Amino acid sequence: MFVCKMPKAAYCGPDALEQLKALCSGAKRAAVFSDRGIERSGVLEKPLALIREAGVEASLLLDLPAEPTRDQAQAVVDAFRASGADMIIAIGGGSVMDIAKLCSILASGESTVADLLANPAIGKKTVRSIMIPTTAGTGAEATPNAIVLVPEKELKVGIVCEEMIPDAVILDGDMIRRLPAHIAASTGVDALCHAIECYTSRKATPFSNLYAMEALKLIFANIEAACLDPEALESKSAMLLAAYYAGVAITCSGTTAVHALSYPLGGKYHIPHGVANAMMLMPVMRFNVSFCQKELAQVYDALGQQGAQDEAAKAQWVLERMEALVQTLQIPTDLKQYGVAMEDLDGLVAAGMDVQRLLVNNKRPVTAEDARALYLELLQ
């Protein structure tokens, strides 16, 4: 049996943000989750105006940390509960949306973030949530996942609870028009990771394959323009949709060794989640290629490519195309620039191997020696 769960409604396209006013119907006070950088950019102005036009009071929660720790996330939950809001609206990237989703299932005060880390199933949604992504990559607007850093383990941990799936999503290209190119690149490649990992996952299903493949087609066609051309609004909108599709694919199946081995990079060295995934993408995909050659060949065919004579050649083209994207978008490929040293390898390997929740999805088994070799590729 396989299943597909997703937000109740997703609004996508030009002027999709206008739907926010109607979505606020029935609420008295909305907790608006965002961050100071987004506030300074002016991106909040229109959604806040729409909320107020709906007759809803807005309580702003803007001091949200990037890549939050367990205790930082709990502090935001406490602030949310004190606000008395009866609706959640998240306007931001993955960390903003993850914290907002945690608040949606911890509003009663009966449980904490630490409790969810021990048993995610105890979370129960009591507050309606709307997600408005301001990056095109994390897919957090579609998933039941929230990532928090557990400091004593120096590891990012994914809390997975179906109750966190948002009630509505708004995908409006205008919300990412001002996104800096380097953030657009790392989050865009994060979406690529989600899509290709889900399509090649051991837990792939017809549902996840459907959404992952559509995401891949959109990403390969649009990511460069979306990241490098500030005026390419059509490509930016396509990337928002691709990131959402890839998020749905995660919910249907799951990511693999790329994400598993990236978590310690964020946990100990505070490498942004999208960058860490983008760095691990090509080492892991080259490692996996012989075990997912058929799937990569299917991607080649879906992209309308011609000329390759067999599955192996098709798969190699896909790898080379992904590597070219990583280079064009100037994704970092050297862990040393983040302070990672050769003597850190043992700790990285041990932490990465602990993420069995995702490693078991990888079609090619990953041993500790394999993990060491994969990290070494980024330390040369």
Side-chain angles (χ1 to χ4, degrees), residues 282-284 286-287 333 372-380:
M282 293 316 303
V284 171
R286 286 191 292 264
F287 172 80
T333 56
R372 179 180 296 274
L374 291 166
Y375 285 129
L376 270 173
E377 287 191 43
L378 301 174
L379 277 170
Q380 301 303 321

Side-chain angles (χ1 to χ4, degrees), residues 58-104:
S59 293
L60 303 183
L61 295 170
L62 303 181
D63 294 312
L64 304 191
E67 318 281 336
T69 66
R70 172 196 56 221
D71 294 340
Q72 288 173 327
Q74 184 60 49
V76 178
V77 171
D78 295 340
F80 163 71
R81 292 185 62 239
S83 75
D86 59 352
M87 169 180 265
I88 287 171
I89 300 172
I91 305 170
S95 294
V96 168
M97 290 188 283
D98 281 358
I99 290 181
K101 291 190 293 185
L102 287 170
C103 288
S104 75

